[in-house]
Amino acid sequence: MYKNYSALESPEWIRKAVIYELHLRAFNENGFTGLAEKIGYFKQLGVNVLWIMPFGLVGEQKRIGKHGDPYAIRDYYSIDPSFGTAEELKAMINEAHANGIRVIMDWVMNRGSVDHILTETHPEYFTRNENDEVYYEVPNRDYFAGLNFDHPDLRRYIKKAMSYWFAEFQFDGFRLDDSDITPSAFLTEIRNELGQNGREFVLISQSYDEYHHVDSCDLTYDGSLRLMIKAVAEGALSQKDVIKIYHSYTYSFPRGSLRMRWLEEKELSRVAEYLGPKLAKPAATLLLTVEGVPFLMMGQEFNERTFNTWKSLFDDYQLDWTPFDQELFEHYRFLIRLRTEHAAFWNGELIFIKNNQDKVLSYIRKSKDEEFLVMVSFSEDPLVLEFEEKNIADRITGAAKQVVYRSGGANPGNEHHAPDWRMEPYESLIYRIQ
């Protein structure tokens, strides 16, 4: 794939994006209006793309919980009035755009609720079981009705609905839920349809399919960091293993493919719960300084503890903002700004620098104008690093090394590090190399 294919060209803004996923009811009490009032929070954090989880009317039949699964949409053109009006949604998006923040709509790709409005008027649009009942091919989802993409009129209906939200509300793109089981040709049809509007947009594919990069989607998922960090911290993966795995993802995809990297997503536990709270900060450093486009799940940046996968949203639920981990928030805030303000991180080369400690990853992020050295420790013990490649070590050691960031240490930019490359437990160190 890497040798023979190139990824489609994506807008520059998605390359320098840090994406933040949220659900309206969980994030604030006042729907679209409340979210518009929170734009200042996102600016302070530094995120520049909001991903809004589904806000349409949820089906009643076979509903689980008070509110049901937000992905069991009953009408693709609907807005749940508990979130506000169409005009309030437009005002929220306009406020985000006025502050340099793009907005992505979460699109339920392969299904509707089992009582979707089209099940009566167009039953042929839905998949059916041996009893001629609408069903969804994913187990334990009785409240869903799967879409029959073999029907050309259904495809036209979906494309028209997506074009409505794109043009009428000025969304900047779509995150395509469960796109790994959507016909690839239909994803290309969607891209071509939206492209007729003449405005930049992105499609985010919830898949690990390398072919989606060729002619339909801008980003695919990559959840490998979460797994690798745990394995490194437990001693199950060596530094050499990590480098090999990281490169395997790069070279099995088309050239220039953008992977959306994450530590948390809606179907998994919180990263601090999975890795342990001490690993949350070095994990964030890795997420925000490697290649790809990082995304954060709502509350991840301040160690929110109560969100328990998207099933929390089936009933009344709001994020617990107290206690608020200010130290972790500032860690994310600094790294997000470093990433978005320096092309070395969002558009530069990544070069691993091998060292003598398997629980420390060290690498250079380099653009034509600047160069940074990143060192991240996943060890509970203090360590002293030595670099294996002497010519690289000499170049780094002999350079004027400005400490850009030191997690839990001195103020950024005001010191030079001791020449023995000592690292404290779970520490992150970032240098600008002159």
Side-chain angles (χ1 to χ4, degrees):
M1 290 298 296
Y2 188 89
K3 180 179 179 181
N4 295 318
Y5 293 90
S6 293
L8 55 81
E9 187 172 350
S10 298
E12 183 178 281
W13 61 262
I14 196 62
R15 293 183 173 275
K16 59 172 65 174
V18 177
I19 302 171
Y20 191 98
E21 178 184 4
L22 63 90
H23 183 266
L24 285 158
R25 184 182 297 111
F27 194 78
N28 76 98
E29 296 179 346
N30 298 311
F32 302 128
T33 300
L35 187 58
E37 294 170 352
K38 278 282 192 179
I39 294 299
Y41 174 81
F42 300 119
K43 288 195 71 177
Q44 181 188 15
L45 179 59
V47 297
N48 48 22
V49 177
L50 297 182
W51 155 6
I52 311 298
M53 295 173 76
F55 49 78
L57 289 170
V58 172
E60 297 282 349
Q61 189 175 342
K62 299 185 179 181
R63 173 184 287 195
I64 299 175
K66 178 180 177 179
H67 300 291
D69 189 331
Y71 289 83
I73 297 296
R74 189 169 182 269
D75 178 357
Y76 298 127
Y77 286 90
S78 67
I79 294 176
D80 184 332
S82 69
F83 298 132
T85 66
E87 292 307 312
E88 289 170 337
L89 172 57
K90 290 178 181 178
M92 182 275 290
I93 295 174
N94 289 340
E95 180 68 14
H97 286 169
N99 284 276
I101 297 174
R102 310 272 180 166
V103 186
I104 301 292
M105 182 178 180
D106 202 340
W107 189 263
V108 185
M109 193 68 247
N110 301 290
R111 61 202 184 278
S113 67
V114 73
D115 54 348
H116 192 280
I117 60 170
L118 295 177
T119 56
E120 295 294 330
T121 57
H122 291 281
E124 70 276 13
Y125 287 179
F126 297 88
T127 54
R128 314 189 81 82
N129 62 20
E130 62 274 9
N131 297 320
D132 201 33
E133 301 167 328
V134 294
Y135 86 111
Y136 188 49
E137 61 184 345
V138 176
N140 303 315
R141 298 291 188 270
D142 291 343
Y143 50 83
F144 284 141
L147 299 181
N148 176 17
F149 287 117
D150 291 336
H151 203 292
D153 288 344
L154 169 67
R155 292 193 181 208
R156 281 190 283 271
Y157 185 93
I158 296 298
K159 290 186 291 185
K160 185 178 178 181
M162 295 180 76
S163 295
Y164 162 77
W165 291 103
F166 181 56
E168 182 70 16
F169 292 85
Q170 298 294 293
F171 278 100
D172 296 289
F174 297 89
R175 179 262 183 182
L176 307 177
D177 188 65
D178 283 352
S179 49
D180 54 340
I181 56 174
T182 306
S184 293
F186 183 50
L187 298 179
T188 304
E189 287 182 34
I190 291 171
R191 185 168 200 92
N192 293 338
E193 181 83 13
L194 297 176
Q196 296 178 25
N197 185 276
R199 191 162 58 87
E200 282 188 340
F201 66 96
V202 298
L203 295 179
I204 301 174
S205 175
Q206 188 194 5
S207 78
Y208 296 81
D209 192 328
E210 59 269 36
Y211 289 96
H212 285 187
H213 289 276
V214 177
D215 53 16
S216 60
C217 298
D218 298 89
L219 278 76
T220 55
Y221 271 42
D222 184 347
S224 62
L225 295 184
R226 175 183 171 107
L227 301 174
M228 284 197 297
I229 291 167
K230 188 176 184 67
V232 168
E234 293 176 348
L237 280 182
S238 69
Q239 184 181 154
K240 183 178 179 180
D241 294 330
V242 171
I243 295 172
K244 183 177 180 180
I245 292 169
Y246 186 93
H247 286 321
S248 74
Y249 282 104
T250 300
Y251 295 113
S252 59
F253 276 72
R255 295 184 305 280
S257 294
L258 289 175
R259 311 300 307 285
M260 188 171 72
R261 301 190 191 274
W262 46 267
L263 301 174
E264 295 184 12
E265 65 102 32
K266 67 180 177 67
E267 297 183 25
L268 297 174
S269 63
R270 288 294 197 187
V271 66
E273 178 184 342
Y274 179 72
L275 297 177
K278 292 182 179 180
L279 281 167
K281 287 176 72 175
T285 303
L286 191 67
L287 173 70
L288 291 163
T289 59
V290 295
E291 298 165 300
V293 178
F295 109 75
L296 280 60
M297 190 70 196
M298 57 180 180
Q300 175 181 331
E301 73 280 11
F302 63 87
N303 192 20
E304 201 283 333
R305 296 170 174 83
T306 65
F307 185 70
N308 183 24
T309 79
W310 93 110
K311 293 182 180 180
S312 293
L313 308 173
F314 292 15
D315 289 291
D316 287 331
Y317 170 77
Q318 285 196 314
L319 296 178
D320 182 5
W321 291 79
T322 56
F324 187 97
D325 189 333
Q326 188 68 38
E327 184 177 311
L328 183 62
F329 177 85
E330 294 297 336
H331 183 69
Y332 270 98
R333 189 174 72 89
F334 184 90
L335 292 170
I336 289 171
R337 293 194 182 279
L338 183 70
R339 180 183 187 86
T340 54
E341 292 176 2
H342 295 276
F345 292 102
W346 60 264
N347 199 38
E349 185 179 3
L350 185 147
I351 306 166
F352 281 103
I353 307 299
K354 295 177 183 178
N355 65 71
N356 62 325
Q357 301 290 348
D358 271 340
K359 292 188 178 183
V360 176
L361 296 179
S362 50
Y363 45 92
I364 285 175
R365 297 306 315 271
K366 180 180 180 181
S367 66
K368 64 178 182 179
D369 298 320
E370 54 189 354
E371 191 171 354
F372 295 86
L373 170 65
V374 182
M375 297 159 54
V376 190
S377 173
F378 300 103
S379 173
E380 62 184 358
D381 300 314
L383 301 171
V384 176
L385 268 63
E386 295 177 3
F387 295 106
E388 292 184 5
E389 300 175 48
K390 190 174 187 305
N391 59 328
I392 293 177
D394 289 344
R395 182 170 68 85
I396 295 172
T397 304
K401 304 180 301 299
Q402 180 190 8
V403 179
V404 175
Y405 185 62
R406 188 175 189 177
S407 63
N411 293 328
N414 294 332
E415 63 167 312
H416 287 73
H417 195 268
D420 62 0
W421 303 102
R422 186 177 301 274
M423 294 196 74
E424 298 303 318
Y426 308 112
E427 188 172 36
S428 302
L429 284 166
I430 303 176
Y431 303 87
R432 179 182 284 110
I433 301 174
Q434 303 292 348

